[in-house]
């Protein structure tokens, strides 16, 4: 066992020609960004993310939801990609076809060196008009919270997918195709509780892929996984990449 990684797993990763990866909030936890299941801190401690990440919450109290995203943007700005993000960039460089699909909106995979990331749930660094749905470039003036659309005057909102909203069709289509086509699928740092993202690892299994879960806690996927590594991704992923490609 190199670095405590099962040699069969390391061999399967090395031999894989088409790898798809689904990540969730757990891969950014070691960068200091709370997951959805972590209790929120400070003035956000009394809210659950599921209560705030909805169009209804925004319509009911746009400033509260805007301020929650501004708080999270601050956490992301202060965060750096961790060893788990960087290990996935090294994996991308070695695998023939590699598709990284993320539920996260923090952009840390891109900052950690992964290219062509499939963002299923949007990106916290972009805003769009709440009325027109058109992305508004640039940082709005500090004035009103939420700021107004420069074209129509409606409130701006983060360009992320809220509960009850459809996912971007092109991103979901790419993710589903990668899940069907891959020969090895990683599920990393996600509770596998939110759909349609949580369907992707099952699609991969049903298509004959090897399923590898890397997660701190067991999830509904754990009993289905071909290999399950329980622990922090920032520790396990560098060891797995090192075991799969020891020479480099
Ligand atoms: C939709 C962006 C069609 C915003 C997010 C009943 C059954 C099935 C489905 C539904 C249902 N009722 C409603 C639905 C649909 C709903 C859904 O799935 N609900 C769930 C709660 C049942 N889905 C939707 O609404 C989706 N849209 O279906 O459209 C439609 C259209 C109209 C009407 C109806 C349907 C949209 C879902 C997207 C919501 N947006 N985020 C934002 O970020 O603000 S969801 C958000 O939570 C994340 O993006 C992610 O997807 C999700 C789950 O979070 P995780 O990433 O998994 O994080 P979590 O904290 O849960 O877990 C972290 C894990 O990491 C843990 O397991 C932990 O052990 C582990 N971990 C921690 N530290 C580490 C670690 N692992 C490794 N290393 C560590 N260091």
């Amino acid at each position: 066992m190199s670095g405590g990684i099962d040699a069969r797993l390391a061999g399967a990763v090395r031999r894989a020609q088409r790898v798809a990866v689904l990540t969730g909030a757990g891969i950014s936890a070691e960068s200091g960004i709370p997951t959805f299941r972590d209790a929120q801190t400070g003035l956000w401690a009394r809210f659950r993310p599921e209560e705030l990440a909805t169009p209804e919450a925004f319509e009911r109290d746009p400033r509260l939801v805007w301020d929650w995203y501004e708080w999270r943007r601050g956490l992301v700005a202060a965060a750096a990609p961790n060893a788990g993000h960087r290990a996935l960039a090294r994996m991308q460089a070695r695998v023939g076809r590699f598709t990284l699909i993320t539920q996260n909106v923090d952009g840390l995979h891109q900052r950690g060196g992964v290219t062509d990331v499939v963002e299923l749930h949007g990106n916290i660094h972009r805003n769009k008009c709440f009325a027109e749905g058109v992305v508004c470039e640039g940082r709005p003036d500090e004035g009103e919270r939420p700021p107004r659309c420069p074209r129509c005057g409606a409130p701006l909102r983060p360009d992320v997918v809220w509960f009850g909203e459809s996912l971007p069709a092109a991103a979901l289509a790419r993710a589903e195709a990668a899940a069907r086509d891959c020969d090895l699928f990683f599920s990393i740092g996600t509770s596998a509780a939110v759909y349609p993202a949580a369907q992707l690892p099952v699609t991969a299994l049903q298509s004959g892929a090897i399923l590898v879960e890397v997660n701190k806690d067991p999830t509904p996927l754990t009993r289905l996984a071909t290999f399950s590594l329980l622990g922090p991704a920032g520790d396990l992923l560098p060891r797995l990449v090192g075991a799969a490609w020891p020479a480099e």
Side-chain angles (χ1 to χ4, degrees):
M1 297 256 269
S2 160
I5 299 294
D6 181 328
R8 290 167 305 163
L9 168 57
V13 172
R14 186 172 54 253
R15 285 190 301 274
Q17 296 297 307
R18 299 177 309 284
V19 171
V21 181
L22 174 69
T23 64
I27 193 145
S28 294
E30 291 159 87
S31 296
I33 296 177
T35 69
F36 280 75
R37 268 139 195 76
D38 287 339
Q40 296 208 110
T41 57
L43 60 96
W44 303 105
R46 59 196 170 96
F47 295 100
R48 288 186 328 105
E50 291 78 11
E51 296 165 343
L52 296 173
T54 70
E56 295 74 23
F58 188 79
E59 292 192 273
R60 192 170 50 248
D61 192 339
R63 172 174 293 194
L64 176 77
V65 175
W66 178 264
D67 286 352
W68 180 52
Y69 279 92
E70 285 292 281
W71 174 67
R72 290 174 64 195
R73 284 170 173 146
L75 293 177
V76 172
N82 63 59
H85 294 108
R86 292 194 299 274
L88 290 173
R90 290 200 301 279
M91 188 185 293
Q92 181 175 36
R94 287 178 180 78
V95 170
R97 278 171 59 188
F98 181 90
T99 307
L100 190 125
I101 304 153
T102 190
Q103 301 171 87
N104 300 339
V105 298
D106 59 31
L108 285 182
H109 283 301
Q110 294 90 325
R111 287 172 52 193
V114 176
T115 55
D116 199 16
V117 175
V118 180
E119 294 182 316
L120 285 183
H121 294 160
N123 188 305
I124 201 170
H125 298 299
R126 282 194 309 267
N127 292 309
K128 67 181 180 182
C129 173
F130 186 70
E132 306 161 319
V134 178
V135 170
C136 293
E137 297 303 337
R139 178 110 188 110
D141 62 299
E142 290 311 313
E144 267 190 281
R145 295 174 11 235
R148 297 263 165 207
C149 169
R151 281 182 304 282
C152 75
L156 294 185
R157 55 164 284 184
D159 186 15
V160 299
V161 180
W162 282 332
F163 287 98
E165 292 186 324
S166 301
L167 277 58
L172 183 54
R174 269 193 71 195
E176 287 171 339
R180 283 194 304 271
D181 181 49
C182 69
D183 50 20
L184 192 143
F185 191 99
F186 280 97
S187 181
I188 302 172
T190 180
S191 56
V194 172
Y195 289 79
Q199 187 60 32
L200 294 167
V202 175
T203 300
L205 264 182
Q206 288 168 345
S207 304
I210 291 166
L211 175 61
V212 183
E213 183 178 48
V214 179
N215 207 63
K216 197 158 62 82
D217 304 302
T219 74
L221 285 180
T222 307
R223 62 181 179 81
L224 304 174
T226 319
F227 296 95
S228 167
L229 298 180
L230 282 182
D235 168 46
L236 289 168
L237 287 176
R239 282 163 48 193
L240 178 51
V241 171
W245 293 280
E248 293 130 85

